[in-house]
Amino acid sequence: MRPTTAILSLFLLATTSCTHGSNRQETPASPASTDLAERSRALARRVIIADGHVDVPYRLHEKLGPDGQPTEDVSQRTAEGDFDYPRAMEGGFDVAFMSIYVPAELQTKPGASKALADSLIDMMEKLARTSPDKFAMAHSVEQARRNTQEGKVSFAMGIENGSAIEDSLENVAHFHQRGVRYITLTHSSDNQLSDASFNRGKRTWNGLSPFGKQVVAEMNRVGIMVDVSHLSDDAIRQAVELSQVPVIASHSSCRHFTPGFERNISDELIRALAAKGGVVMINFGSVFLTQAANDYERQVGEAVETFGKARGLTRGSPEIRTFLETYRREHPAPLARVEDVADHIDHVVKLVGIDHVGLGSDFDGVGPTLPIGLKDVSQYPNLFRVLLERGYSEADIEKIASGNVFRVWQRVESHAASH
């Protein structure tokens, strides 16, 4: 999801579709809690934190200057957004799977999806080149580990919306050569590869298309992880069955907590994904975490739809944006808390074990819906503190932070190298 269109993309498309935060404390911190907070910060500095979904590329793309270059410099502290280098250092953050997001509406314009994906990759490569002391590209687990040892934040890349492949199987290898290491097969609407979770009541393919099945095989062949976030249940089921290697859900939470919200992943599919060695990477957006937040966002979507239809407005118009801002201000959202993210991690662990859960924040993609205590990349230690309080070992947390997704990434690399 995108920073300025989270509610529109999520609910106007589904039904029709930062600031630095901290945990609130009701009582003064005790010496024990202070020690635990410091232990959490030290742990964040020691382990590699790899986040499966960070929307910096499209955040920068939405604010290009007259020269076509980003007007924000995330190598410095920024007033907006959830990611920049200083805050990443504060949070012990190491590896961002940067989302190469392709809007669904480009699918009707031949060539446009691939062109945008290539331009966003160009942007991230340029950012790494212009701040080589802070950022570096990571095309392998080995590179990511080396960059961390050198004190750099790694940019791994995942394409969000397989429409970037257009109708050419050769583009899978093209994007692998460009450094893409996962592809989310679809996004907010059905595309040429797969049905989407948001297209409820409409199923173009009843899962994956014939071409989508070829793409899964080609991703296995070249070494790109298959990402099943945003897919319909049938499409997820088929992708897991077809893939010869484990798959990931790069930014999905547990449907157990939000019944009826197909964008989250069901217990049945968590089990299927884990049985093949895959990883569910928990989304931090409040709408993914609690039923109250999910219901609120649905109400906002309905209000926006009613307002827009009554005035004949198109999605994304200034009037709708103003209405949305006013509505949110007058009707504050019931935000989740960092403990709710831990609840989703707990659920996956109890269901299938510690080896099948990771972090997929959706930073810069879910805007103001981030939970209290996890408002930006500086705050991963807050989550680690909650997990330590709940009895997770440091070795467990290291698996959640990066070990599990690195295992899948390496498995996919090894499979490609041996075939």
Side-chain angles (χ1 to χ4, degrees):
M1 264 175 280
R2 315 285 62 78
T4 59
T5 59
I7 185 65
L8 297 176
S9 62
L10 179 54
F11 286 100
L12 290 182
L13 283 168
T15 62
T16 49
S17 187
C18 168
T19 58
H20 208 94
S22 62
N23 280 331
R24 295 182 304 212
Q25 293 180 327
E26 304 302 328
T27 57
S30 68
S33 66
T34 301
D35 290 346
L36 193 59
E38 177 51 41
R39 182 182 166 198
S40 302
R41 288 191 291 269
L43 180 60
R45 290 190 295 268
R46 182 177 66 78
V47 305
I48 295 178
I49 300 175
D51 193 312
H53 198 86
V54 179
D55 273 302
V56 166
Y58 207 76
R59 165 189 164 191
L60 300 180
H61 174 77
E62 286 191 312
K63 296 183 178 179
L64 297 178
D67 60 353
Q69 299 304 309
T71 57
E72 278 191 297
D73 181 3
V74 294
S75 71
Q76 308 298 321
R77 190 174 296 273
T78 56
E80 298 181 0
D82 312 324
F83 171 94
D84 56 44
Y85 180 79
R87 284 182 286 175
M89 290 297 97
E90 290 170 15
F93 185 38
D94 302 289
V95 182
F97 276 91
M98 290 297 186
S99 170
I100 305 302
Y101 165 64
V102 178
E105 54 264 30
L106 294 185
Q107 293 167 196
T108 60
K109 303 174 182 178
S113 295
K114 178 177 180 293
L116 176 61
D118 277 324
S119 72
L120 294 178
I121 295 169
D122 291 342
M123 180 191 296
M124 299 316 295
E125 290 178 340
K126 182 175 181 180
L127 181 56
R129 286 196 307 271
T130 54
S131 297
D133 56 327
K134 298 177 179 178
F135 302 130
M137 305 306 294
H139 295 171
S140 66
V141 173
E142 180 184 354
Q143 282 186 333
R145 293 188 187 280
R146 185 165 59 248
N147 292 342
T148 299
Q149 291 172 352
E150 295 174 359
K152 301 175 184 179
V153 175
S154 289
F155 297 158
M157 290 183 292
I159 289 179
E160 186 177 25
N161 195 349
S163 64
I165 295 168
E166 303 283 347
D167 58 358
S168 172
L169 200 62
E170 293 178 355
N171 282 333
V172 177
H174 164 78
F175 283 119
H176 180 266
Q177 291 166 358
R178 296 228 55 194
V180 169
R181 290 302 177 260
Y182 77 68
I183 296 175
T184 317
L185 297 181
T186 189
H187 188 250
S188 56
S189 65
D190 299 355
N191 65 9
Q192 78 276 31
L193 306 181
S194 174
D195 294 337
S197 62
F198 287 153
N199 272 21
R200 301 193 67 176
K202 176 190 175 184
R203 291 293 184 252
T204 304
W205 307 108
N206 292 317
L208 300 180
S209 71
F211 182 56
K213 293 175 181 178
Q214 290 182 311
V215 166
V216 168
E218 182 68 358
M219 289 169 68
N220 287 175
R221 187 188 72 80
V222 304
I224 295 178
M225 290 182 283
V226 175
D227 177 23
V228 298
S229 288
H230 285 285
L231 275 60
S232 69
D233 283 3
D234 284 341
I236 293 174
R237 194 173 293 111
Q238 292 168 23
V240 171
E241 290 173 355
L242 284 169
S243 181
Q244 298 180 50
V245 288
V247 309
I248 62 169
S250 69
H251 59 307
S252 295
S253 298
C254 303
R255 199 180 305 166
H256 170 82
F257 297 94
T258 56
F261 184 47
E262 192 174 352
R263 175 61 181 82
N264 273 346
I265 190 165
S266 70
D267 286 3
E268 173 219 343
L269 291 173
I270 291 172
R271 290 190 183 97
L273 189 146
K276 290 286 288 279
V279 178
V280 178
M281 309 182 77
I282 302 301
N283 192 308
F284 294 177
S286 289
V287 66
F288 294 82
L289 299 173
T290 69
Q291 190 62 51
N294 195 277
D295 290 342
Y296 167 84
E297 295 293 354
R298 194 176 310 280
Q299 293 163 10
V300 174
E302 290 169 354
V304 169
E305 181 188 2
T306 299
F307 176 84
K309 281 188 174 180
R311 291 158 181 80
L313 300 173
T314 58
R315 189 171 65 248
S317 69
E319 294 90 344
I320 284 183
R321 291 179 184 275
T322 300
F323 172 82
L324 179 57
E325 291 170 2
T326 302
Y327 188 97
R328 283 191 176 279
R329 186 169 58 250
E330 295 177 351
H331 306 84
L335 294 178
R337 299 180 62 88
V338 60
E339 289 83 2
D340 294 304
V341 176
D343 287 347
H344 283 253
I345 292 172
D346 283 346
H347 185 73
V348 176
V349 171
K350 290 173 183 174
L351 203 62
V352 294
I354 192 66
D355 294 326
H356 303 289
V357 66
L359 308 177
S361 65
D362 217 343
F363 279 139
D364 279 325
V366 289
T369 75
L370 288 163
I372 296 165
L374 277 175
K375 292 295 186 184
D376 62 32
V377 294
S378 73
Q379 297 195 322
Y380 295 102
N382 290 343
L383 176 59
F384 290 2
R385 176 186 56 76
V386 175
L387 295 176
L388 289 170
E389 287 173 346
R390 295 187 181 188
Y392 285 81
S393 69
E394 293 191 3
D396 290 337
I397 294 172
E398 187 165 11
K399 286 186 175 184
I400 296 166
S402 61
N404 291 336
V405 71
F406 277 6
R407 170 179 50 78
V408 173
W409 189 358
Q410 286 180 312
R411 177 82 176 275
V412 171
E413 287 180 343
S414 299
H415 176 86
S418 64
H419 286 74

